Amino acid sequence: MKAFIIIWFGQFISMLGSALSAFGLGIWIFQKTGSAASFAMSAVCTVLPALLFAPLTGSIADRKSRKAVIIFTDTIDAALKLIIVFLLAFEKLEIWMVYPLVFLSGTLGNFQNPAFNASIPMLVPSKNLTRANGLMQFSNAVQNLLGPVLAGFLYPVIKLGGLFMIDFVTFFFALFTIAAVKIPQPEIEKAQGSLFKIALQDIKYAFTYLKQKTGFISLVVFFGLLNFIVNISMILIGPLVMSNYNSQIYGNVQALIGLAMLIGGLCSGLIPNTDEKIKRMFLVLILCGLGPLIAGLSLQWIIIALGFFIFMLPVPYANTLFMSVFQMKIEPAVLGRVGALVNAILKAVTPIAYICAGYLADYIFEPLMQPSGLLGKTFIAGLLGTGCGRGIGLMFMLSGIFLILGCTVMLSNKTVTSIEKRLPDYIDNQ
C-alpha cells in the first residue's frame, strides 16, 4: 500500500485546494446572477467533458503512460487556475468566461481520472482493494467537509482570487508525490491508425467487452438513472440555502454533508468484506433515499443539512462496493477503456439533470408552490408550506421517493445481483 498511500496523499491535498476554489466559484456565480439555472450551468460545463471525451480518455489511460497523463493534466489545470487568479486580480473575470474555463478544467480531470483509477489495482493486491477504494471515498469526504467550511470562512476575507491561489499552490503536492512513485503500466496490444480512430475502436471494444459481462450493462445504466435523480437534488442545495441564508450557512450545510461522507468513508474501510456486495449496495442506497424526504420538509437549514447528512452517509460505502466489484471483474489491461465508458454512461445524464434542475426549479416547481400557484392550496402546500424554496423542497422529496423505488426494483433483478458469483475475478489475491 506504500506507493498508493504516497500518491493518494498528494492527490488529496491538491483536490482539497480544488474543493476550495470550486465552492467559492459557486458562491461568486450565484451572487452575480441570483439564478439557479446559471449556478447549475457551471456544473454542467464541469461534467460535460466526461461524455464528450469518453473514447479518448479510456484509450489514453490504457495506451499511454498513466503517470505521464496524471502529471500533464495536473500541470495544465494548475495553469488554468493561475489564469483565473490574474483575471480576478484585474477585475476582468465575467460570467461567460467561467463556463469555458471550468469546461477545460473538467476535461483535464476526465483525462486524469481513468488513468488514476485504473492504476489502483496495479498498485495494491486484491485483499487491500476495498481498503484503497475506501481511502479514496474518505479523501472525497474530507474535501467535502473541509472545503465548504474553509471556503465559507475564507471567501469574505480573501475573495475568490485567494481561493484560486491556494488551489494553485496545492497542485505541487500532487506533482511531487506522483513524480516520486513508479506506476505500473499493463502491456496492451498495439493498434494502427490515428489516435482518434484508435479511440473509437477502443470504445467499441469496451462496449462489446462490457456487454459480454451479463448484467453489468443493466447495473451501469441503472446507476446512470440514479445519478440523474441524485444530481437534480444536489445541484439545488446551493440556490436553496443561499436564497434564504448567507455563504457561511451554505458552507455549514456542505460541511455537514462532508462530515457524513467522512464518517461513511471511514466505515467503508472498516466494514468486513462480503460476497454479496451488489445486494448490500442497493440496501444502503435505499437508506440514502430517506435523506431527501427529510430535507424537503423544511426551510430550516439544519433540517436541510440533516436530510442530506442521512442521504450522503451511506454513499461512500455504496461507491466502494461498486468500484471493488468493477475492478475485480474487469481485466487490468482494459480497465482504463472500460472505466471511461462506464464513467461516460454514468455521467451522460448529469448535464441533463443539472439543466433540468435549474429550469424546473425556476420556472415550474417554485411557481407551483407559491401561495397563488396551482399547488398553493393543496395538502402538499399544507405539508411543505409555500413561498421561496418550497418548490425545491418538493423536488427533494420526489427524488427520495424515486431513489427508494428504483433500488427496490433492482434488488429483485437476479441477473444483476448474481454478477459476483457468475463472473471470474481478474486480479491477484496476494
Side-chain angles (χ1 to χ4, degrees), residues 340-356:
L341 174 63
V342 170
N343 188 52
I345 295 174
L346 291 179
K347 291 188 175 180
V349 296
T350 303
I352 302 173
Y354 286 165
I355 294 171
C356 288

Side-chain angles (χ1 to χ4, degrees), residues 248-373:
Q248 291 181 331
I249 294 296
Y250 179 38
N252 291 340
V253 173
Q254 290 288 358
L256 285 172
I257 293 173
L259 179 61
M261 295 186 68
L262 175 62
I263 296 172
L266 285 171
C267 292
S268 67
L270 299 174
I271 296 174
N273 196 18
T274 176
D275 292 330
E276 294 189 331
K277 294 182 179 68
I278 293 177
K279 286 184 179 179
R280 186 177 291 186
M281 180 173 60
F282 285 122
L283 288 173
V284 298
L285 286 173
I286 287 175
L287 295 177
C288 289
L290 299 176
L293 291 175
I294 295 173
L297 288 173
S298 173
L299 271 178
Q300 294 294 319
W301 73 264
I302 193 66
I303 301 297
I304 298 170
L306 175 64
F308 281 98
F309 180 93
I310 294 171
F311 173 70
M312 295 305 297
L313 184 63
V315 166
Y317 185 50
N319 287 341
T320 297
L321 293 172
F322 178 79
M323 287 302 299
S324 297
V325 171
F326 179 75
Q327 290 167 345
M328 292 178 69
K329 302 300 178 181
I330 306 298
E331 297 170 77
V334 303
L335 198 53
R337 286 168 286 176
V338 176
L341 174 63
V342 170
N343 188 52
I345 295 174
L346 291 179
K347 291 188 175 180
V349 296
T350 303
I352 302 173
Y354 286 165
I355 294 171
C356 288
Y359 178 83
L360 290 172
D362 285 344
Y363 301 108
I364 297 180
F365 280 89
E366 283 294 296
L368 282 176
M369 293 300 291
Q370 296 302 311
S372 59

Side-chain angles (χ1 to χ4, degrees), residues 3-12 116 123 177-178 181 183:
F4 170 76
I5 293 294
I6 292 173
I7 297 175
W8 169 82
F9 176 75
Q11 292 294 314
F12 165 68
F116 187 79
L123 292 169
T177 52
I178 284 289
V181 172
I183 298 180

Side-chain angles (χ1 to χ4, degrees), residues 74-344:
D74 261 341
T75 303
I76 301 301
D77 195 32
L80 285 177
K81 304 300 171 60
L82 198 58
I83 290 173
I84 294 177
V85 169
F86 281 112
L87 288 172
L88 287 166
F90 291 99
E91 298 183 351
K92 297 296 183 180
L93 186 65
E94 303 290 343
I95 293 293
W96 67 266
M97 297 178 186
V98 170
Y99 301 137
L101 287 170
V102 297
F103 178 85
L104 289 173
S105 182
T107 299
L108 294 166
N110 278 283
F111 275 91
Q112 182 182 116
N113 289 339
F116 187 79
N117 290 331
S119 298
I120 295 176
M122 306 292 292
L123 292 169
V124 299
S126 61
K127 68 177 183 179
N128 290 331
L129 192 57
T130 299
R131 186 184 304 173
N133 284 314
L135 280 172
M136 293 297 296
Q137 296 300 316
F138 172 76
S139 65
N140 289 335
V142 173
Q143 292 153 26
N144 287 323
L145 172 62
L146 294 181
V149 173
L150 294 175
F153 175 77
L154 292 173
Y155 185 86
V157 180
I158 62 175
K159 304 302 181 184
L160 185 60
L163 295 179
F164 270 100
M165 194 64 209
I166 293 174
D167 188 5
F168 173 74
V169 172
T170 58
F171 144 77
F172 292 99
F173 285 87
L175 177 63
F176 293 147
T177 52
I178 284 289
V181 172
K182 179 181 179 181
I183 298 180
Q185 189 77 17
E187 293 186 5
I188 183 173
E189 73 282 357
K190 293 185 178 180
Q192 301 295 324
S194 65
L195 179 61
F196 186 73
K197 181 180 179 181
I198 293 172
L200 291 178
Q201 293 172 349
D202 283 343
I203 206 71
K204 180 180 179 181
Y205 171 82
F207 183 78
T208 303
Y209 180 94
L210 194 61
K211 191 166 62 173
Q212 292 171 350
K213 304 285 184 179
T214 309
F216 246 116
I217 287 288
S218 298
L219 180 63
V220 172
V221 170
F222 177 74
F223 263 85
L225 295 175
L226 286 187
N227 276 350
F228 180 84
I229 295 170
V230 168
N231 284 315
I232 279 184
S233 291
M234 295 301 294
I235 195 63
L236 292 175
I237 296 175
L240 175 62
V241 175
M242 284 191 287
S243 293
N244 296 277
Y245 302 97
N246 56 32
S247 63
Q248 291 181 331
I249 294 296
Y250 179 38
N252 291 340
V253 173
Q254 290 288 358
L256 285 172
I257 293 173
L259 179 61
M261 295 186 68
L262 175 62
I263 296 172
L266 285 171
C267 292
S268 67
L270 299 174
I271 296 174
N273 196 18
T274 176
D275 292 330
E276 294 189 331
K277 294 182 179 68
I278 293 177
K279 286 184 179 179
R280 186 177 291 186
M281 180 173 60
F282 285 122
L283 288 173
V284 298
L285 286 173
I286 287 175
L287 295 177
C288 289
L290 299 176
L293 291 175
I294 295 173
L297 288 173
S298 173
L299 271 178
Q300 294 294 319
W301 73 264
I302 193 66
I303 301 297
I304 298 170
L306 175 64
F308 281 98
F309 180 93
I310 294 171
F311 173 70
M312 295 305 297
L313 184 63
V315 166
Y317 185 50
N319 287 341
T320 297
L321 293 172
F322 178 79
M323 287 302 299
S324 297
V325 171
F326 179 75
Q327 290 167 345
M328 292 178 69
K329 302 300 178 181
I330 306 298
E331 297 170 77
V334 303
L335 198 53
R337 286 168 286 176
V338 176
L341 174 63
V342 170
N343 188 52

